[in-house]
């Protein structure tokens, strides 16, 4: 159980500390974290089912600009842990997840607020010409905060064992358990309704119902239907753009301040663009471009309320700036921008 607690604690830490976006951002989804928690705790099937039940209520979930309506990281990990420890049915996972999600909102606010302090420390290091200090402040302090706020509680939750979790369930009256199960059944419907709100466009609704009835009555598996749907989407996309490609014109839809949508045609023609490009004395190597792209995956590792991803953006610019400028003074000057 001790090893399981360590693995779950690291999972909870990495879910908040987005040091490698393509992987760690997947850890905000309960279906992913629930399956991993089950794997770490020796019950992958229960973990996957619990995560799937929790995921349903967050289908329409989105976090933008530092706002977080619900903490799905805490909901998925802590809710699944409680489900496995208590030995209850996976449908009860939603009941555990919602209170933990509300608690997770407080953790996120503390994390985002404290991380702003590391920005000012990076400023001071940059004033002293310490470029490595900027990269250090982007990663290390934010990791420590994520481990303190998310990792340690997750570790304590797992290492405490199943006794207290089962006792907590046994102390709840049967009528309350039944009511919570009913609520848990309604919440996924709410999540699906939120998702449909995003998909509620005239062009998409027929395809949505077509896919639903195809799934129910065709007898095909989800994998086959997904492949078929991808082929249909590609065909529609290619046919829809064929005339624009021939004409060399691309149509762009723009949303104005008064919420009116207008379509603007942009020509792909190069006629009239005879302006000569300046001669550059130095060019970034392919190796530097690849390194810079890799650093972009960690722009939110020190996400904070004051400057959002600013420290992460400075971190990724370190690599090209070092190649473009020879002196440390000039590098500092450019990085401050």
């Amino acid at each position: 159980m001790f090893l399981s607690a360590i693995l779950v604690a690291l999972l909870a830490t990495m879910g908040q500390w987005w040091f490698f976006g393509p992987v760690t951002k997947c850890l905000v989804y309960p279906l992913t974290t629930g399956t991993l928690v089950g794997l770490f705790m020796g019950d992958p099937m229960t973990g996957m089912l619990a995560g799937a039940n929790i995921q349903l209520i967050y289908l329409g979930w989105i976090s933008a600009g530092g706002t977080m309506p619900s903490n799905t990281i805490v909901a998925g990990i802590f809710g699944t842990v409680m489900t496995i420890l208590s030995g209850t049915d996976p449908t009860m996972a939603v009941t555990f997840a919602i209170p933990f999600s509300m608690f997770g909102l407080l953790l996120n606010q503390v994390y985002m607020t404290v991380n702003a302090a590391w920005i000012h420390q990076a400023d001071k290091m940059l004033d002293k010409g310490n470029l490595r200090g900027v990269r250090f402040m982007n990663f290390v302090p934010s990791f420590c905060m994520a481990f303190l706020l998310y990792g340690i509680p997750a570790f304590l939750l797992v290492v405490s064992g199943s006794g207290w979790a089962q006792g907590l369930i046994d102390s709840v009256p049967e009528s309350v358990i039944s009511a919570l199960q009913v609520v848990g059944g309604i919440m996924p419907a709410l999540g699906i309704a939120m998702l449909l709100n995003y998909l509620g466009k005239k062009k998409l609704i027929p395809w949505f119902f077509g896919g639903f009835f195809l799934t129910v009555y065709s007898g095909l598996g989800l994998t086959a239907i997904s492949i078929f749907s991808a082929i249909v989407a590609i065909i529609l996309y290619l046919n829809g753009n064929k005339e624009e490609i021939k004409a060399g014109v691309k149509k762009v839809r723009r949303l104005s301040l008064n919420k009116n949508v207008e379509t603007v045609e942009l020509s792909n023609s190069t006629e009239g663009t005879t302006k000569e490009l300046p001669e550059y004395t130095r060019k970034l190597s392919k190796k530097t471009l690849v390194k810079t792209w890799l650093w972009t995956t960690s722009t939110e590792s020190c996400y904070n309320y004051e400057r959002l991803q600013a420290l992460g953006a400075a971190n990724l610019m370190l690599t090209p700036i070092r190649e473009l400028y020879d002196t440390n003074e000039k590098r500092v000057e450019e990085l401050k921008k």
Side-chain angles (χ1 to χ4, degrees):
M1 187 61 71
F2 185 78
L3 179 59
S4 298
I6 292 177
L7 293 174
V8 172
L10 289 175
L11 178 65
T13 302
M14 298 306 175
Q16 178 62 45
W17 186 58
W18 293 337
F19 76 101
F20 186 67
V23 173
T24 48
K25 276 199 172 184
C26 297
L27 301 182
V28 304
Y29 300 110
L31 181 59
T32 305
T33 54
T35 303
L36 291 174
V37 167
L39 186 64
F40 295 156
M41 298 183 67
D43 194 350
M45 184 56 68
T46 300
M48 182 173 63
L49 292 173
N53 277 282
I54 298 171
Q55 182 71 68
L56 283 172
I57 70 174
Y58 296 116
L59 284 177
W61 177 89
I62 184 172
S63 177
T67 60
M68 183 179 283
S70 296
N71 195 321
T72 56
I73 304 165
V74 174
I77 296 176
F78 287 53
T80 303
V81 168
M82 280 293 294
T83 303
I84 295 176
L85 288 178
S86 61
T88 58
D89 189 270
T91 56
M92 282 291 293
V94 174
T95 306
F96 297 127
I98 294 176
F100 278 121
S101 176
M102 298 298 103
F103 171 67
L105 289 179
L106 175 61
L107 296 181
N108 182 68
Q109 290 169 3
V110 174
Y111 178 80
M112 295 279 287
T113 301
V114 175
N115 273 351
W118 319 135
I119 295 283
H120 298 284
Q121 292 299 318
D123 288 337
K124 293 178 181 178
M125 290 185 174
L126 192 57
D127 288 335
K128 297 177 182 178
N130 186 356
L131 298 181
R132 290 186 177 180
V134 175
R135 182 157 287 170
F136 177 87
M137 297 309 300
N138 183 59
F139 289 105
V140 178
S142 57
F143 170 81
C144 294
M145 285 302 304
F147 181 74
L148 178 66
L149 295 173
Y150 288 76
I152 292 179
F155 175 84
L156 295 176
L157 183 65
V158 177
V159 81
S160 59
S162 60
W164 73 276
Q166 186 61 52
L168 179 64
I169 295 297
D170 293 340
S171 65
V172 179
E174 187 65 30
S175 58
V176 176
I177 294 292
S178 300
L180 291 175
Q181 286 178 331
V182 172
V183 173
I186 296 174
M187 291 300 289
L190 177 61
I192 294 172
M194 292 174 66
L195 182 63
L196 287 176
N197 190 42
Y198 291 109
L199 297 176
K201 298 180 180 180
K202 293 180 179 179
K203 293 182 178 180
L204 297 179
I205 287 296
W207 292 104
F208 172 80
F209 284 104
F212 174 77
F213 286 109
L214 182 65
T215 304
V216 174
Y217 295 108
S218 68
L220 296 174
L222 288 178
T223 302
I225 293 176
S226 298
I227 295 173
F228 174 75
S229 301
I231 294 172
V232 171
I234 293 172
I235 293 173
L236 290 174
Y237 173 79
L238 294 176
N239 289 338
N241 288 278
K242 184 179 291 186
E243 294 183 1
E244 293 181 5
I245 293 173
K246 286 183 177 179
V249 174
K250 181 180 180 181
K251 292 184 178 181
V252 179
R253 302 186 70 201
R254 292 176 177 171
L255 181 64
S256 61
L257 292 176
N258 59 6
K259 298 184 179 181
N260 292 326
V261 178
E262 58 180 2
T263 301
V264 181
E265 292 188 356
L266 300 178
S267 176
N268 295 327
S269 174
T270 57
E271 294 181 4
T273 58
T274 58
K275 184 178 179 180
E276 294 184 1
L277 295 175
E279 290 291 334
Y280 294 104
T281 58
R282 189 168 296 185
K283 184 179 179 181
L284 293 175
S285 65
K286 184 177 181 180
K287 182 179 179 181
T288 298
L289 293 175
V290 172
K291 283 184 178 180
T292 304
W293 172 78
L294 288 173
W295 285 118
T296 63
T297 62
S298 60
T299 52
E300 295 187 32
S301 57
C302 191
Y303 206 26
N304 62 90
Y305 282 134
E306 184 174 336
R307 301 187 208 171
L308 298 180
Q309 304 102 321
L311 186 54
N315 173 66
L316 73 91
M317 288 302 296
L318 272 171
T319 302
I321 284 176
R322 278 174 172 162
E323 183 169 338
L324 290 173
Y325 301 98
D326 296 322
T327 64
N328 198 60
E329 291 74 14
K330 187 62 177 176
R331 292 169 179 170
V332 169
E333 179 184 345
E334 292 301 317
L335 196 60
K336 282 185 176 181
K337 294 179 181 179

